[in-house]
PDB file of all heavy atoms in Angstrom:
ATOM      1  N   MET A  50      -3.286  10.478  -6.591  1.00 94.00           N
ATOM      2  CA  MET A  50      -3.906   9.158  -7.129  1.00 94.00           C
ATOM      3  C   MET A  50      -4.879   9.282  -8.143  1.00 94.00           C
ATOM      4  O   MET A  50      -4.917   8.662  -9.058  1.00 94.00           O
ATOM      5  CB  MET A  50      -4.466   8.538  -5.906  1.00 94.00           C
ATOM      6  CG  MET A  50      -5.073   7.145  -6.211  1.00 94.00           C
ATOM      7  SD  MET A  50      -5.454   6.080  -4.751  1.00 94.00           S
ATOM      8  CE  MET A  50      -6.617   7.071  -3.852  1.00 94.00           C
ATOM      9  N   ILE A  54      -4.364   7.987 -11.977  1.00 93.00           N
ATOM     10  CA  ILE A  54      -5.240   7.021 -12.538  1.00 93.00           C
ATOM     11  C   ILE A  54      -5.980   7.573 -13.735  1.00 93.00           C
ATOM     12  O   ILE A  54      -6.250   6.857 -14.800  1.00 93.00           O
ATOM     13  CB  ILE A  54      -6.297   6.641 -11.459  1.00 93.00           C
ATOM     14  CG1 ILE A  54      -5.587   5.795 -10.327  1.00 93.00           C
ATOM     15  CG2 ILE A  54      -7.466   5.848 -12.013  1.00 93.00           C
ATOM     16  CD1 ILE A  54      -6.440   5.506  -9.161  1.00 93.00           C
ATOM     17  N   ILE A  94       1.287   3.744   0.894  1.00 92.00           N
ATOM     18  CA  ILE A  94       0.002   4.003   1.684  1.00 92.00           C
ATOM     19  C   ILE A  94      -1.174   3.005   1.220  1.00 92.00           C
ATOM     20  O   ILE A  94      -1.800   2.499   2.051  1.00 92.00           O
ATOM     21  CB  ILE A  94      -0.517   5.353   1.517  1.00 92.00           C
ATOM     22  CG1 ILE A  94       0.481   6.390   2.232  1.00 92.00           C
ATOM     23  CG2 ILE A  94      -1.931   5.531   2.149  1.00 92.00           C
ATOM     24  CD1 ILE A  94       0.174   7.770   1.960  1.00 92.00           C
ATOM     25  N   VAL A  95      -1.169   2.784  -0.098  1.00 91.00           N
ATOM     26  CA  VAL A  95      -2.354   2.095  -0.670  1.00 91.00           C
ATOM     27  C   VAL A  95      -2.171   0.630  -0.810  1.00 91.00           C
ATOM     28  O   VAL A  95      -3.135  -0.254  -0.475  1.00 91.00           O
ATOM     29  CB  VAL A  95      -2.764   2.712  -2.039  1.00 91.00           C
ATOM     30  CG1 VAL A  95      -3.936   2.050  -2.702  1.00 91.00           C
ATOM     31  CG2 VAL A  95      -3.156   4.256  -1.748  1.00 91.00           C
ATOM     32  N   ILE A  96      -1.038   0.114  -1.215  1.00 91.00           N
ATOM     33  CA  ILE A  96      -0.763  -1.173  -1.605  1.00 91.00           C
ATOM     34  C   ILE A  96       0.147  -2.002  -0.705  1.00 91.00           C
ATOM     35  O   ILE A  96      -0.169  -3.127  -0.250  1.00 91.00           O
ATOM     36  CB  ILE A  96      -0.169  -1.237  -3.041  1.00 91.00           C
ATOM     37  CG1 ILE A  96      -1.092  -0.788  -4.100  1.00 91.00           C
ATOM     38  CG2 ILE A  96       0.082  -2.698  -3.416  1.00 91.00           C
ATOM     39  CD1 ILE A  96      -0.593  -0.595  -5.461  1.00 91.00           C
ATOM     40  N   VAL A  97       1.150  -1.390  -0.152  1.00 92.00           N
ATOM     41  CA  VAL A  97       2.027  -2.076   0.773  1.00 92.00           C
ATOM     42  C   VAL A  97       1.401  -2.696   1.965  1.00 92.00           C
ATOM     43  O   VAL A  97       1.627  -3.921   2.289  1.00 92.00           O
ATOM     44  CB  VAL A  97       3.308  -1.172   1.220  1.00 92.00           C
ATOM     45  CG1 VAL A  97       3.970  -1.853   2.358  1.00 92.00           C
ATOM     46  CG2 VAL A  97       4.136  -0.952  -0.061  1.00 92.00           C
ATOM     47  N   PRO A  98       0.451  -1.963   2.692  1.00 90.00           N
ATOM     48  CA  PRO A  98      -0.277  -2.633   3.798  1.00 90.00           C
ATOM     49  C   PRO A  98      -0.966  -3.858   3.389  1.00 90.00           C
ATOM     50  O   PRO A  98      -0.990  -4.783   4.425  1.00 90.00           O
ATOM     51  CB  PRO A  98      -1.265  -1.403   4.262  1.00 90.00           C
ATOM     52  CG  PRO A  98      -0.613  -0.241   3.811  1.00 90.00           C
ATOM     53  CD  PRO A  98       0.026  -0.583   2.419  1.00 90.00           C
ATOM     54  N   VAL A  99      -1.484  -4.019   2.279  1.00 88.00           N
ATOM     55  CA  VAL A  99      -2.166  -5.225   1.886  1.00 88.00           C
ATOM     56  C   VAL A  99      -1.215  -6.478   1.839  1.00 88.00           C
ATOM     57  O   VAL A  99      -1.544  -7.512   2.277  1.00 88.00           O
ATOM     58  CB  VAL A  99      -2.885  -5.036   0.542  1.00 88.00           C
ATOM     59  CG1 VAL A  99      -3.567  -6.436   0.123  1.00 88.00           C
ATOM     60  CG2 VAL A  99      -3.912  -3.927   0.596  1.00 88.00           C
ATOM     61  N   ARG A 102       0.204  -7.688   5.348  1.00 82.00           N
ATOM     62  CA  ARG A 102      -0.673  -8.644   6.115  1.00 82.00           C
ATOM     63  C   ARG A 102      -0.291 -10.094   5.839  1.00 82.00           C
ATOM     64  O   ARG A 102      -0.276 -10.933   6.746  1.00 82.00           O
ATOM     65  CB  ARG A 102      -2.116  -8.391   5.661  1.00 82.00           C
ATOM     66  CG  ARG A 102      -2.729  -7.149   6.210  1.00 82.00           C
ATOM     67  CD  ARG A 102      -4.108  -6.961   5.716  1.00 82.00           C
ATOM     68  NE  ARG A 102      -4.442  -5.502   5.690  1.00 82.00           N
ATOM     69  CZ  ARG A 102      -5.371  -4.961   4.813  1.00 82.00           C
ATOM     70  NH1 ARG A 102      -5.917  -5.820   3.832  1.00 82.00           N
ATOM     71  NH2 ARG A 102      -5.530  -3.681   4.759  1.00 82.00           N
ATOM     72  N   ASN A 123      -9.481 -12.186   0.334  1.00 86.00           N
ATOM     73  CA  ASN A 123      -9.562 -10.715   0.872  1.00 86.00           C
ATOM     74  C   ASN A 123      -8.734  -9.737  -0.143  1.00 86.00           C
ATOM     75  O   ASN A 123      -9.151  -8.678  -0.324  1.00 86.00           O
ATOM     76  CB  ASN A 123      -8.800 -10.550   2.300  1.00 86.00           C
ATOM     77  CG  ASN A 123      -9.840 -11.242   3.253  1.00 86.00           C
ATOM     78  OD1 ASN A 123     -10.997 -11.414   3.140  1.00 86.00           O
ATOM     79  ND2 ASN A 123      -9.192 -11.791   4.370  1.00 86.00           N
ATOM     80  N   PHE A 124      -7.538 -10.334  -0.620  1.00 86.00           N
ATOM     81  CA  PHE A 124      -6.768  -9.450  -1.553  1.00 86.00           C
ATOM     82  C   PHE A 124      -7.566  -9.180  -2.710  1.00 86.00           C
ATOM     83  O   PHE A 124      -7.570  -7.985  -3.211  1.00 86.00           O
ATOM     84  CB  PHE A 124      -5.520 -10.332  -1.996  1.00 86.00           C
ATOM     85  CG  PHE A 124      -4.739  -9.520  -2.899  1.00 86.00           C
ATOM     86  CD1 PHE A 124      -3.688  -8.663  -2.474  1.00 86.00           C
ATOM     87  CD2 PHE A 124      -4.791  -9.742  -4.250  1.00 86.00           C
ATOM     88  CE1 PHE A 124      -2.848  -8.036  -3.350  1.00 86.00           C
ATOM     89  CE2 PHE A 124      -3.980  -9.102  -5.237  1.00 86.00           C
ATOM     90  CZ  PHE A 124      -3.065  -8.218  -4.719  1.00 86.00           C
ATOM     91  N   LYS A 126     -10.866  -8.814  -3.029  1.00 88.00           N
ATOM     92  CA  LYS A 126     -11.849  -7.972  -2.628  1.00 88.00           C
ATOM     93  C   LYS A 126     -11.422  -6.620  -2.512  1.00 88.00           C
ATOM     94  O   LYS A 126     -12.046  -5.573  -2.826  1.00 88.00           O
ATOM     95  CB  LYS A 126     -12.537  -8.365  -1.347  1.00 88.00           C
ATOM     96  CG  LYS A 126     -13.379  -9.627  -1.303  1.00 88.00           C
ATOM     97  CD  LYS A 126     -13.920 -10.092  -0.048  1.00 88.00           C
ATOM     98  CE  LYS A 126     -14.754 -11.262  -0.086  1.00 88.00           C
ATOM     99  NZ  LYS A 126     -15.262 -11.739   1.217  1.00 88.00           N
ATOM    100  N   GLU A 127     -10.124  -6.457  -2.001  1.00 89.00           N
ATOM    101  CA  GLU A 127      -9.492  -5.093  -1.790  1.00 89.00           C
ATOM    102  C   GLU A 127      -8.795  -4.548  -2.989  1.00 89.00           C
ATOM    103  O   GLU A 127      -8.518  -3.302  -3.026  1.00 89.00           O
ATOM    104  CB  GLU A 127      -8.534  -5.256  -0.639  1.00 89.00           C
ATOM    105  CG  GLU A 127      -9.168  -5.567   0.695  1.00 89.00           C
ATOM    106  CD  GLU A 127      -8.200  -5.658   1.878  1.00 89.00           C
ATOM    107  OE1 GLU A 127      -6.962  -5.244   1.608  1.00 89.00           O
ATOM    108  OE2 GLU A 127      -8.534  -6.222   2.922  1.00 89.00           O
ATOM    109  N   VAL A 128      -8.561  -5.273  -4.074  1.00 89.00           N
ATOM    110  CA  VAL A 128      -7.938  -4.838  -5.168  1.00 89.00           C
ATOM    111  C   VAL A 128      -8.862  -4.833  -6.391  1.00 89.00           C
ATOM    112  O   VAL A 128      -8.930  -3.630  -7.098  1.00 89.00           O
ATOM    113  CB  VAL A 128      -6.687  -5.638  -5.466  1.00 89.00           C
ATOM    114  CG1 VAL A 128      -5.983  -5.330  -6.788  1.00 89.00           C
ATOM    115  CG2 VAL A 128      -5.677  -5.560  -4.366  1.00 89.00           C
ATOM    116  N   ILE A 129      -9.478  -5.827  -6.755  1.00 86.00           N
ATOM    117  CA  ILE A 129     -10.368  -5.828  -7.971  1.00 86.00           C
ATOM    118  C   ILE A 129     -11.501  -4.760  -7.831  1.00 86.00           C
ATOM    119  O   ILE A 129     -12.256  -4.688  -6.928  1.00 86.00           O
ATOM    120  CB  ILE A 129     -10.993  -7.223  -8.188  1.00 86.00           C
ATOM    121  CG1 ILE A 129      -9.923  -8.347  -8.181  1.00 86.00           C
ATOM    122  CG2 ILE A 129     -11.878  -7.170  -9.440  1.00 86.00           C
ATOM    123  CD1 ILE A 129      -8.901  -8.087  -9.246  1.00 86.00           C
ATOM    124  N   GLY A 130     -11.495  -3.949  -8.812  1.00 82.00           N
ATOM    125  CA  GLY A 130     -12.536  -2.872  -8.859  1.00 82.00           C
ATOM    126  C   GLY A 130     -12.349  -1.830  -7.901  1.00 82.00           C
ATOM    127  O   GLY A 130     -13.293  -1.018  -7.668  1.00 82.00           O
ATOM    128  N   THR A 131     -11.092  -1.587  -7.376  1.00 88.00           N
ATOM    129  CA  THR A 131     -10.803  -0.545  -6.527  1.00 88.00           C
ATOM    130  C   THR A 131      -9.636   0.274  -7.060  1.00 88.00           C
ATOM    131  O   THR A 131      -9.033  -0.095  -8.009  1.00 88.00           O
ATOM    132  CB  THR A 131     -10.410  -1.080  -5.123  1.00 88.00           C
ATOM    133  OG1 THR A 131      -9.093  -1.722  -5.243  1.00 88.00           O
ATOM    134  CG2 THR A 131     -11.451  -2.098  -4.529  1.00 88.00           C
ATOM    135  N   ARG A 132      -9.324   1.341  -6.250  1.00 89.00           N
ATOM    136  CA  ARG A 132      -8.145   2.245  -6.722  1.00 89.00           C
ATOM    137  C   ARG A 132      -6.830   1.512  -6.591  1.00 89.00           C
ATOM    138  O   ARG A 132      -6.001   1.736  -7.323  1.00 89.00           O
ATOM    139  CB  ARG A 132      -8.119   3.453  -5.831  1.00 89.00           C
ATOM    140  CG  ARG A 132      -9.202   4.570  -6.171  1.00 89.00           C
ATOM    141  CD  ARG A 132      -8.914   5.042  -7.454  1.00 89.00           C
ATOM    142  NE  ARG A 132      -9.808   6.234  -7.881  1.00 89.00           N
ATOM    143  CZ  ARG A 132     -10.759   6.219  -8.749  1.00 89.00           C
ATOM    144  NH1 ARG A 132     -10.992   5.038  -9.354  1.00 89.00           N
ATOM    145  NH2 ARG A 132     -11.434   7.300  -8.974  1.00 89.00           N
ATOM    146  N   ARG A 133      -6.766   0.460  -5.772  1.00 90.00           N
ATOM    147  CA  ARG A 133      -5.559  -0.317  -5.635  1.00 90.00           C
ATOM    148  C   ARG A 133      -5.406  -1.028  -6.957  1.00 90.00           C
ATOM    149  O   ARG A 133      -4.193  -1.093  -7.497  1.00 90.00           O
ATOM    150  CB  ARG A 133      -5.672  -1.316  -4.620  1.00 90.00           C
ATOM    151  CG  ARG A 133      -5.621  -0.709  -3.163  1.00 90.00           C
ATOM    152  CD  ARG A 133      -5.526  -1.759  -2.077  1.00 90.00           C
ATOM    153  NE  ARG A 133      -5.523  -1.294  -0.682  1.00 90.00           N
ATOM    154  CZ  ARG A 133      -6.526  -1.186   0.019  1.00 90.00           C
ATOM    155  NH1 ARG A 133      -7.714  -1.517  -0.368  1.00 90.00           N
ATOM    156  NH2 ARG A 133      -6.426  -0.578   1.254  1.00 90.00           N
ATOM    157  N   GLY A 134      -6.445  -1.621  -7.527  1.00 90.00           N
ATOM    158  CA  GLY A 134      -6.280  -2.300  -8.852  1.00 90.00           C
ATOM    159  C   GLY A 134      -5.942  -1.317  -9.942  1.00 90.00           C
ATOM    160  O   GLY A 134      -5.062  -1.722 -10.763  1.00 90.00           O
ATOM    161  N   ASP A 135      -6.403  -0.002  -9.793  1.00 92.00           N
ATOM    162  CA  ASP A 135      -5.990   0.926 -10.838  1.00 92.00           C
ATOM    163  C   ASP A 135      -4.642   1.213 -10.791  1.00 92.00           C
ATOM    164  O   ASP A 135      -3.928   1.478 -11.741  1.00 92.00           O
ATOM    165  CB  ASP A 135      -6.892   2.121 -10.567  1.00 92.00           C
ATOM    166  CG  ASP A 135      -8.283   1.941 -10.909  1.00 92.00           C
ATOM    167  OD1 ASP A 135      -8.695   1.135 -11.707  1.00 92.00           O
ATOM    168  OD2 ASP A 135      -9.085   2.776 -10.319  1.00 92.00           O
ATOM    169  N   LEU A 136      -4.042   1.293  -9.545  1.00 92.00           N
ATOM    170  CA  LEU A 136      -2.582   1.591  -9.573  1.00 92.00           C
ATOM    171  C   LEU A 136      -1.702   0.511  -9.926  1.00 92.00           C
ATOM    172  O   LEU A 136      -0.711   0.678 -10.694  1.00 92.00           O
ATOM    173  CB  LEU A 136      -2.346   1.794  -7.999  1.00 92.00           C
ATOM    174  CG  LEU A 136      -2.686   3.258  -7.523  1.00 92.00           C
ATOM    175  CD1 LEU A 136      -2.377   3.295  -5.952  1.00 92.00           C
ATOM    176  CD2 LEU A 136      -1.996   4.400  -8.297  1.00 92.00           C
ATOM    177  N   VAL A 137      -2.214  -0.859  -9.773  1.00 91.00           N
ATOM    178  CA  VAL A 137      -1.462  -1.943 -10.133  1.00 91.00           C
ATOM    179  C   VAL A 137      -1.481  -1.917 -11.707  1.00 91.00           C
ATOM    180  O   VAL A 137      -0.420  -2.233 -12.249  1.00 91.00           O
ATOM    181  CB  VAL A 137      -2.100  -3.306  -9.758  1.00 91.00           C
ATOM    182  CG1 VAL A 137      -1.359  -4.523 -10.309  1.00 91.00           C
ATOM    183  CG2 VAL A 137      -1.865  -3.374  -8.116  1.00 91.00           C
ATOM    184  N   ARG A 138      -2.655  -1.749 -12.262  1.00 92.00           N
ATOM    185  CA  ARG A 138      -2.721  -1.615 -13.788  1.00 92.00           C
ATOM    186  C   ARG A 138      -1.824  -0.607 -14.394  1.00 92.00           C
ATOM    187  O   ARG A 138      -1.140  -0.729 -15.445  1.00 92.00           O
ATOM    188  CB  ARG A 138      -4.084  -1.432 -14.273  1.00 92.00           C
ATOM    189  CG  ARG A 138      -4.973  -2.769 -14.038  1.00 92.00           C
ATOM    190  CD  ARG A 138      -6.395  -2.614 -14.759  1.00 92.00           C
ATOM    191  NE  ARG A 138      -7.123  -1.626 -14.013  1.00 92.00           N
ATOM    192  CZ  ARG A 138      -7.912  -2.109 -12.952  1.00 92.00           C
ATOM    193  NH1 ARG A 138      -7.935  -3.400 -12.630  1.00 92.00           N
ATOM    194  NH2 ARG A 138      -8.659  -1.238 -12.233  1.00 92.00           N
ATOM    195  N   LEU A 139      -1.737   0.551 -13.581  1.00 93.00           N
ATOM    196  CA  LEU A 139      -0.941   1.592 -14.138  1.00 93.00           C
ATOM    197  C   LEU A 139       0.592   1.257 -14.121  1.00 93.00           C
ATOM    198  O   LEU A 139       1.234   1.656 -15.019  1.00 93.00           O
ATOM    199  CB  LEU A 139      -1.056   2.856 -13.067  1.00 93.00           C
ATOM    200  CG  LEU A 139      -0.195   4.176 -13.425  1.00 93.00           C
ATOM    201  CD1 LEU A 139      -0.640   4.728 -14.775  1.00 93.00           C
ATOM    202  CD2 LEU A 139      -0.451   5.224 -12.307  1.00 93.00           C
ATOM    203  N   ILE A 140       1.012   0.558 -13.135  1.00 93.00           N
ATOM    204  CA  ILE A 140       2.375   0.043 -13.106  1.00 93.00           C
ATOM    205  C   ILE A 140       2.619  -0.785 -14.108  1.00 93.00           C
ATOM    206  O   ILE A 140       3.813  -0.946 -14.920  1.00 93.00           O
ATOM    207  CB  ILE A 140       2.626  -0.532 -11.718  1.00 93.00           C
ATOM    208  CG1 ILE A 140       2.645   0.530 -10.585  1.00 93.00           C
ATOM    209  CG2 ILE A 140       4.010  -1.199 -11.723  1.00 93.00           C
ATOM    210  CD1 ILE A 140       2.568   0.059  -9.211  1.00 93.00           C
ATOM    211  N   TYR A 154       8.401  -0.616  -6.983  1.00 94.00           N
ATOM    212  CA  TYR A 154       7.184  -1.519  -6.751  1.00 94.00           C
ATOM    213  C   TYR A 154       7.674  -2.909  -6.512  1.00 94.00           C
ATOM    214  O   TYR A 154       7.165  -3.602  -5.679  1.00 94.00           O
ATOM    215  CB  TYR A 154       6.351  -1.583  -7.988  1.00 94.00           C
ATOM    216  CG  TYR A 154       4.991  -2.151  -7.805  1.00 94.00           C
ATOM    217  CD1 TYR A 154       3.948  -1.489  -6.932  1.00 94.00           C
ATOM    218  CD2 TYR A 154       4.772  -3.408  -8.175  1.00 94.00           C
ATOM    219  CE1 TYR A 154       2.718  -2.191  -6.798  1.00 94.00           C
ATOM    220  CE2 TYR A 154       3.625  -3.994  -8.014  1.00 94.00           C
ATOM    221  CZ  TYR A 154       2.536  -3.459  -7.208  1.00 94.00           C
ATOM    222  OH  TYR A 154       1.360  -4.164  -7.011  1.00 94.00           O
ATOM    223  N   VAL A 199      -6.819  -8.649 -12.232  1.00 89.00           N
ATOM    224  CA  VAL A 199      -6.654  -7.179 -12.290  1.00 89.00           C
ATOM    225  C   VAL A 199      -6.664  -6.698 -13.635  1.00 89.00           C
ATOM    226  O   VAL A 199      -7.288  -5.671 -14.061  1.00 89.00           O
ATOM    227  CB  VAL A 199      -5.343  -6.832 -11.477  1.00 89.00           C
ATOM    228  CG1 VAL A 199      -4.983  -5.460 -11.759  1.00 89.00           C
ATOM    229  CG2 VAL A 199      -5.438  -7.004  -9.983  1.00 89.00           C
TER     230      VAL A 199
END
Side-chain angles (χ1 to χ4, degrees):
M50 180 165 64
I54 291 172
I94 293 173
V95 177
I96 299 178
V97 168
V99 178
R102 291 176 207 150
N123 290 334
F124 180 88
K126 290 178 183 177
E127 294 179 15
V128 173
I129 304 302
T131 71
R132 284 293 190 252
R133 290 188 180 97
D135 292 333
L136 284 178
V137 173
R138 285 188 287 272
L139 179 62
I140 292 166
Y154 189 80
V199 168

